[in-house]
């Protein structure tokens, strides 16, 4: 009470000063109120300003992801970068992924702060499903309990509720099944994925699946594969791919989502190199549908096959093989427009990959 009375008897000469102070305080409150929206927007970090071409490629990729509700993000394996490789990263990516970069130019514009890891090892690009997808990238160490190993996060490399594309360098701890990186994605639609980046012997990412065996991440490396409409009249235009030999495609199990193809080199009569079997695997079973003969005919895969009802498919289908030899691109017959059975309905080309077995 004494303090209250004392304040009432402050000399009048101080009143103007107090009034000025109150005015200043009022201005500060007003300024604070004006700035309040920036506190909210601060939770949404300013996105890297990509070129228009790069923005369009990201948007294109995200539109494809939006077609599948369970997809939380897209990934591409870009290759292995040696520890002593001093090539600028953008030049290194151009050397090994030029065709993909032409389709996805944002790869060369990912900012330095979004390039994660030691700068060597297996290189992956991770693209969140949309602008409201959260992404966490952690270093992990692997612990063994009994007969099982599990990963424990040891360091946060990246974390954002509004994630941008990132490049991640991944190494193993002497075990290819124990990478030192953990990827966690949670999309706004509820799709989520936890992934420990690995590739198989054909350099394809081993992607996580849900209980219904649906992929949770999309591999966009194949955007670098020419489409049926772009299939070259002049093969030199795509010199990084080449026409395979019969030896390169024989005795391999070539697959896509619905078909499995086996081509053998056996006692078929010339000009055929051997017999071929086409299995329908769409229902997770191997149902033999077509049998017949095959050979390479110039830059074409020649097929003469029929089903058990006598329906015949005959054609010479232009074919290219990816440099590492684990992917084929097969186009429709140039003269007749006939497509091989393993082409999807409405498509003029098909991609096949080597599978185990």
């Amino acid at each position: 009470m004494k303090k209250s009375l004392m304040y009432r008897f402050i000399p009048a000469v101080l009143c103007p000063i107090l009034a000025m102070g109150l005015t200043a305080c009022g201005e500060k409150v007003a300024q604070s109120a004006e700035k309040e929206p920036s506190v909210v927007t601060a939770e949404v970090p300013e996105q890297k300003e990509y070129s228009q071409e790069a923005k369009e490629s990201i948007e294109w990729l995200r539109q494809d992801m939006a077609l599948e509700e369970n997809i939380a993000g897209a990934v591409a394996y870009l290759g292995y970068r040696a520890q002593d490789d001093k090539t600028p990263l953008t030049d290194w990516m151009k050397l090994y992924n030029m065709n993909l970069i032409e389709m996805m130019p944002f790869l060369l514009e990912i900012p330095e702060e979004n390039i994660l890891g030691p700068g060597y090892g297996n290189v992956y690009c991770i693209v969140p499903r949309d602008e409201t997808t959260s992404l966490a990238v952690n270093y992990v160490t692997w612990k063994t309990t009994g007969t099982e190993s599990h990963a424990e996060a040891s360091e946060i490399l990246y974390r954002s509720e509004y994630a941008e594309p990132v490049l991640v360098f991944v190494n193993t701890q002497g075990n290819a099944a124990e990478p030192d990186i953990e990827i966690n994605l949670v999309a706004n639609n509820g799709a989520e994925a936890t992934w420990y980046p690995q590739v198989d012997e054909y350099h394809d990412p081993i992607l996580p699946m849900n209980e219904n065996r649906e992929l949770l991440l999309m591999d966009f490396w194949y955007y670098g594969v020419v489409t049926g409409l772009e299939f070259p009249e002049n093969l030199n235009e795509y010199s990084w791919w080449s026409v395979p030999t019969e030896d390169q495609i024989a005795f391999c199990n070539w697959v896509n989502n619905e078909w499995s193809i086996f081509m053998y080199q056996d006692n078929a009569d010339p000009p055929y190199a051997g017999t071929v079997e086409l299995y329908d695997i769409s229902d997770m079973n191997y149902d033999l549908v077509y049998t017949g003969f095959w050979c390479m005919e110039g830059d074409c895969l020649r097929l003469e096959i029929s089903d058990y009802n006598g329906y015949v498919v005959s054609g010479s289908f232009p074919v290219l093989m990816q440099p590492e030899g684990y992917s084929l691109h097969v186009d429709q017959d140039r003269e007749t427009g006939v497509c091989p059975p393993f082409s999807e309905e409405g498509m003029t080309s098909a991609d096949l990959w080597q599978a185990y077995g």
Side-chain angles (χ1 to χ4, degrees):
M1 179 64 73
K2 290 181 179 179
K3 289 183 180 179
S4 177
L5 292 172
M6 181 174 66
Y7 287 143
R8 293 180 183 180
F9 289 96
I10 292 175
V13 70
L14 296 179
C15 290
I17 298 174
L18 289 173
M20 291 174 63
L22 289 172
T23 302
C25 288
E27 291 176 353
K28 288 182 180 179
V29 170
Q31 289 174 1
S32 176
E34 290 176 1
K35 289 183 178 180
E36 187 172 349
S38 68
V39 174
V40 176
T41 56
E43 297 177 3
V44 184
E46 183 178 351
Q47 295 291 305
K48 148 79 179 179
E49 189 60 32
Y50 287 98
S51 67
Q52 185 60 35
E53 186 181 24
K55 288 179 182 178
E56 290 174 356
S57 64
I58 295 174
E59 181 58 26
W60 179 24
L61 185 55
R62 284 176 165 165
Q63 286 176 1
D64 276 3
M65 284 190 274
L67 298 175
E68 299 290 340
E69 292 186 359
N70 47 286
I71 294 295
V75 305
Y77 173 62
L78 304 180
Y80 179 83
R81 181 175 167 89
Q83 187 170 357
D84 59 355
D85 191 336
K86 305 303 181 184
T87 308
L89 183 57
T90 53
D91 291 343
W92 179 87
M93 288 197 293
K94 288 178 183 178
L95 181 62
Y96 294 103
N97 298 278
M98 195 61 239
N99 218 51
L100 178 61
I101 287 169
E102 289 178 0
M103 301 294 289
M104 295 285 143
F106 76 87
L107 287 166
L108 298 182
E109 299 183 25
I110 292 175
E112 185 175 352
E113 61 269 23
N114 289 351
I115 300 175
L116 314 174
Y120 61 90
N122 287 320
V123 187
Y124 299 85
C125 179
I126 314 294
V127 181
R129 177 186 177 94
D130 53 36
E131 293 178 351
T132 58
T133 295
S134 69
L135 169 63
V137 181
N138 304 317
Y139 269 131
V140 295
T141 55
W142 290 83
K143 308 293 184 181
T144 301
T145 303
T147 59
E148 296 184 355
S149 294
H150 64 278
E152 292 184 359
S154 58
E155 180 184 346
I156 298 172
L157 290 177
Y158 179 93
R159 184 161 293 176
S160 175
E161 297 299 313
Y162 305 90
E164 299 178 12
V166 298
L167 289 176
V168 185
F169 290 87
V170 179
N171 292 283
T172 65
Q173 303 173 357
N175 184 342
E178 297 182 351
D180 64 349
I181 292 290
E182 176 186 71
I183 306 291
N184 291 292
L185 286 153
V186 180
N188 195 43
N189 74 334
E192 57 183 289
T194 297
W195 187 43
Y196 302 96
Q198 303 172 58
V199 292
D200 62 22
E201 61 182 297
Y202 305 112
H203 307 291
D204 288 324
I206 302 173
L207 301 177
M209 293 188 291
N210 60 21
E211 63 275 8
N212 297 321
R213 296 184 60 80
E214 297 170 326
L215 290 175
L216 303 179
L217 297 173
M218 185 177 81
D219 182 0
F220 74 92
W221 183 89
Y222 294 103
Y223 279 58
V225 178
V226 292
T227 68
L229 294 177
E230 297 168 333
F231 199 87
E233 292 292 333
N234 179 0
L235 292 177
N236 292 328
E237 185 180 353
Y238 295 92
S239 58
W240 67 294
W241 284 61
S242 61
V243 177
T245 66
E246 291 177 345
D247 289 341
Q248 286 177 309
I249 59 178
F251 299 109
C252 296
N253 182 9
W254 298 100
V255 301
N256 60 18
N257 292 333
E258 297 187 348
W259 291 90
S260 175
I261 299 96
F262 292 87
M263 285 178 279
Y264 305 96
Q265 286 179 313
D266 45 26
N267 298 321
D269 294 330
Y272 298 106
T275 56
V276 59
E277 298 173 347
L278 277 67
Y279 292 83
D280 183 344
I281 58 173
S282 59
D283 60 356
M284 305 303 292
N285 294 317
Y286 274 72
D287 298 320
L288 182 60
V289 178
Y290 291 94
T291 60
F293 304 97
W294 74 279
C295 66
M296 285 300 299
E297 190 175 73
D299 65 344
C300 296
L301 172 62
R302 179 72 183 178
L303 292 177
E304 295 285 346
I305 56 178
S306 61
D307 64 13
Y308 288 111
N309 295 318
Y311 177 74
V312 175
V313 177
S314 174
S316 291
F317 308 106
V319 60
L320 290 176
M321 175 176 278
Q322 190 266 353
E324 282 78 11
Y326 56 80
S327 179
L328 293 178
H329 181 84
V330 186
D331 198 31
Q332 65 182 359
D333 188 298
R334 292 190 182 107
E335 295 183 3
T336 66
V338 170
C339 294
F342 44 81
S343 293
E344 293 185 21
E345 184 176 355
M347 301 295 291
T348 60
S349 63
D351 293 311
L352 301 172
W353 299 274
Q354 282 194 32
Y356 299 106

